[in-house]
Amino acid sequence: MSTGLVDSASTNVLPLALDHLYPIAVRGDGVWVEDSAGRRYLDAMSGGSMALTLGFGHPEIVAAMRSQAESLAYVNGERFTNPVREKLARELMTVAPEGFTRVRFVGGGAEANEMAIQLARSYHVERGEASRWRVITPAQAYHGPTLGTLAMTGRPGLQRPFDPYLPSQPHIPPSTSHFDPSGQAALDALDQIIEQAGPETISAFFMEAVSAAALPGYSPPRQFWEGLAERRDKYGFLLIFDEVVTGMGRTGHWFAGNVTPATPDIIATAKGLGAGYIAIGAVLCRERVYEPFARGSRIWNVGHTWDGAPVQCAVALQVIEILRRDGLINRVRERGETLRRQLEDALRDIPMVGEVHGHGYLLGVHYVDPRDPSRFLPPELGVAGKIDREAMARGLITLSTMPTRDGFAGDQTLFAPPFITSDDDLAEMVSRFAATIRQVAAGIEPALRGPVTAGGTA
Ligand code: PLP
């Protein structure tokens, strides 16, 4: 412990990666984290998970939390409602896409996604269409680590070794700019699934409107959105958005679903709702999804201990108040475009950098093999891991992934700073990031001198 680093032999915690050395974070201030050895890290990832949208140590959130904990910290939803839950529900309806009227609170992202799936299924059952249960999703996705959400990704790398527990759900390939720029191949795959499975078995199409870690900053092309909306109307399934990351301003809108060409029927959200101060998620739906319950069984009997607890709702209400008052969502929308250009300019002359894209403060950097930019980097080089380690050494928190073996994407980095980051700190993040990428690119250069032998097509 004297180095200020914890390894798996010196802890009782079961860490995420047993070979990783973990610094001990002891305090946070704005967009800076400090560890027990006094090292400071600039947070380009909003608390590491994209949750901490308003930075560390926000005094108004702390005050709201404290005040609610003093008056009524917790009461279960089975016997009572509470004023903050009621108010939060009303507030969310004012920023959700038009036609949304109901919300159910949960404890986090995976819970929200699972409940969204349950809500869609129950909607069909209430309407007398009990054959509808399948949920179609884009394969290159991450929706959480629970068994229900792991079934919603088409990535064997994430599903193993839990695959025996996972119901088989159909997936379509993502229409990325290289594989399927028009989105037609994805629509053809969707048609094939609907035909083979039978439209009467499809409950929902489930997706991120703008992807986070799985395909940073990616959103499907317009033709895909329009084709998806047409098929939803024709076949009667629901459209669910996983807005666990994108909800509450991340893409420069309250919800990505406020502006997508196909409007969702159900939205699951989480991270930014509690802004990293408390675990809270929410499932929002249109009146037409709620209506069959109102006319039918009049019961929605699925819930968790923490659903809608006052202290959680008080934090979320304060988050909404700050986002509104400080105009932060407009800032993310406008400043995000400049940030994307800053990143592009800083990385332009590095041959392994393929694309920089995204919306608001949800940006992705995608890497390619410099010898043949139509291919991903060879996975054995472990570039994503190298980037995150080098960035940490330079005092920058990033999140890179390498789903190359799943076949749809290569090494990539997500860039998702807190909304309150100053222009100077954004510039410093970009500068540290560019230095990181240069260093890693120089380090792998000798390994890339030979002919292209491995790595998938980019
Ligand atoms: N959906 C997306 C898009 C995510 O990025 C995550 C987490 O990173 C989840 C769902 C799961 O959320 P949670 O970790 O709160 O369960």
Side-chain angles (χ1 to χ4, degrees), residues 136-143 150-156 158-159 169-175 193 205-207 214-215 218 403 406-408:
I136 309 173
T137 63
Q140 180 58 26
Y142 176 74
H143 300 298
L150 280 177
M152 314 298 289
T153 176
R155 294 167 57 190
L158 284 178
Q159 293 178 324
Q169 297 283 15
H171 309 288
I172 61 164
S175 36
I193 290 169
F205 189 86
F206 184 96
M207 66 184 293
L215 210 49
Y218 159 82
D406 288 333
F408 302 106

Side-chain angles (χ1 to χ4, degrees), residues 336-354:
E337 185 48 29
T338 314
L339 178 61
R340 190 184 61 71
R341 279 202 301 272
Q342 280 177 291
L343 273 170
E344 236 169 28
D345 290 345
L347 302 172
R348 190 178 305 284
D349 62 335
I350 307 175
M352 77 170 190
V353 175

